[in-house]
């Protein structure tokens, strides 16, 4: 399973765009990149997933360069309610070999007024 | 549709006592996960089930932890005896298929405090 590296924490202000980068130098050909969000006292929640280039949904965008060794989660115009921990996971989609699911320590995003 | 249900939400016990956590996954989800989450850390996988079969339990401390998923639906995670270091949040999640890339739906967790 590809090891990921994220910043421990980030600060932002309401209305700004926030970009959280995840490094995954050992990503395998069949690995996907998945991001989860976790609020205090709740379980993680799926945000977005991608394999290459750009993926966008109603919540966020995910940018993946051609070499796929990193990815960037982009949150447009953050609000106070976006304050949470964000996790980047890399691994095979729909089964594949048994691998450990590694969330790591994630990135704590703190949004201020 | 109901999400993943866990109970109890909170549990306080004295060390050396047994404790059990229950999880009801989303209907139709074949894969079920139990995670342990310590304060300030991400979830750590304890065990993963595909239907009734435990396909990955390499991180489960088998001397005191056990789990079962009878009939491939509900699951129970047990600790006996509990130790001070077991204080954490225990999360249950489910997904339709197995794989890191498959969307997991998490329950609210059970916060265990061992005194």
């Amino acid at each position: 399973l590809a090891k990921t590296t994220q910043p421990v924490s980030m600060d932002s202000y309401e209305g700004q765009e926030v970009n959280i980068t995840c490094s995954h130098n050992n990503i395998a050909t069949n690995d996907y990149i998945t991001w989860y969000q976790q609020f205090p006292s709740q379980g993680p929640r799926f945000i977005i997933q991608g394999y290459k280039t750009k993926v966008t949904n109603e919540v966020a965008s995910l940018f993946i360069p051609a070499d796929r060794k990193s990815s960037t989660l982009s949150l447009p115009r953050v609000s106070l309610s976006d304050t949470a921990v964000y996790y980047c996971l890399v691994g095979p989609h729909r089964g594949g070999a048994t691998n450990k699911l590694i969330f790591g320590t994630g990135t704590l995003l703190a949004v201020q007024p | 549709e109901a999400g993943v249900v866990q109970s109890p939400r909170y549990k306080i016990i004295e060390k050396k006592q047994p404790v059990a956590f229950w999880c009801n996954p989303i209907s139709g989800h074949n894969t079920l996960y139990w995670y342990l989450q310590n304060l300030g850390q991400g979830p750590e996988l304890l065990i993963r089930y595909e239907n009734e079969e435990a396909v990955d339990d390499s991180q489960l401390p088998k001397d005191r932890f056990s789990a079962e998923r009878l009939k491939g639906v509900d699951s129970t995670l047990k600790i006996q005896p509990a130790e001070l270091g077991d204080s954490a949040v225990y999360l249950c999640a489910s997904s339709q298929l197995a794989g890191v890339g498959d969307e997991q739906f998490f329950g609210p967790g059970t916060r265990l405090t061992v005194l």
Side-chain angles (χ1 to χ4, degrees), chain A residues 1 32 34 36 38 41-46 49 87 89-96 98-101 103-105, chain B residues 9 33 35 37 40-45 48 55-56 58-59 91 97-108 111:
Chain A
L1 186 66
Y32 282 71
T34 309
Y36 284 82
Q38 185 175 27
S41 301
Q42 295 185 24
R45 182 184 71 159
F46 175 94
Q49 181 184 81
Y87 297 98
L89 272 70
V90 175
H93 190 49
R94 301 205 180 276
T98 298
N99 288 299
K100 293 190 295 183
L101 297 166
F103 279 78
T105 55
Chain B
R9 289 296 312 278
Y33 314 77
Y35 290 89
Q37 186 170 27
Q41 302 294 316
E44 301 172 30
L45 180 68
R48 177 168 67 95
V55 297
D56 185 356
S58 58
Q59 301 303 305
L91 294 163
L97 298 173
V100 177
D102 292 303
E103 181 179 355
Q104 295 182 53
F105 295 82
F106 283 81
R111 182 176 297 277

Side-chain angles (χ1 to χ4, degrees), chain A:
Chain A
L1 186 66
K3 179 180 179 180
T4 62
T5 302
Q6 304 174 232
V8 174
S9 62
M10 295 183 68
D11 294 322
S12 183
Y13 292 94
E14 284 190 293
Q16 289 189 332
E17 178 185 73
V18 171
N19 296 308
I20 305 174
T21 298
C22 179
S23 297
H24 29 79
N25 293 319
N26 297 321
I27 190 169
T29 302
N30 62 339
D31 284 345
Y32 282 71
I33 301 155
T34 309
W35 285 81
Y36 284 82
Q37 175 191 56
Q38 185 175 27
F39 297 114
S41 301
Q42 295 185 24
R45 182 184 71 159
F46 175 94
I47 301 177
I48 197 167
Q49 181 184 81
Y51 183 81
K52 62 180 180 180
T53 62
K54 177 183 176 182
V55 178
T56 298
N57 61 24
E58 65 278 5
V59 177
S61 294
L62 180 59
F63 298 91
I64 305 168
D67 66 5
R68 304 204 321 127
K69 293 184 181 300
S70 67
S71 58
T72 299
L73 174 72
S74 182
L75 304 173
R77 299 179 298 281
V78 295
S79 64
L80 296 176
S81 63
D82 292 315
T83 294
V85 177
Y86 294 82
Y87 297 98
C88 165
L89 272 70
V90 175
H93 190 49
R94 301 205 180 276
T98 298
N99 288 299
K100 293 190 295 183
L101 297 166
I102 302 175
F103 279 78
T105 55
T107 298
L108 174 59
L109 171 64
V111 180
Q112 301 176 34

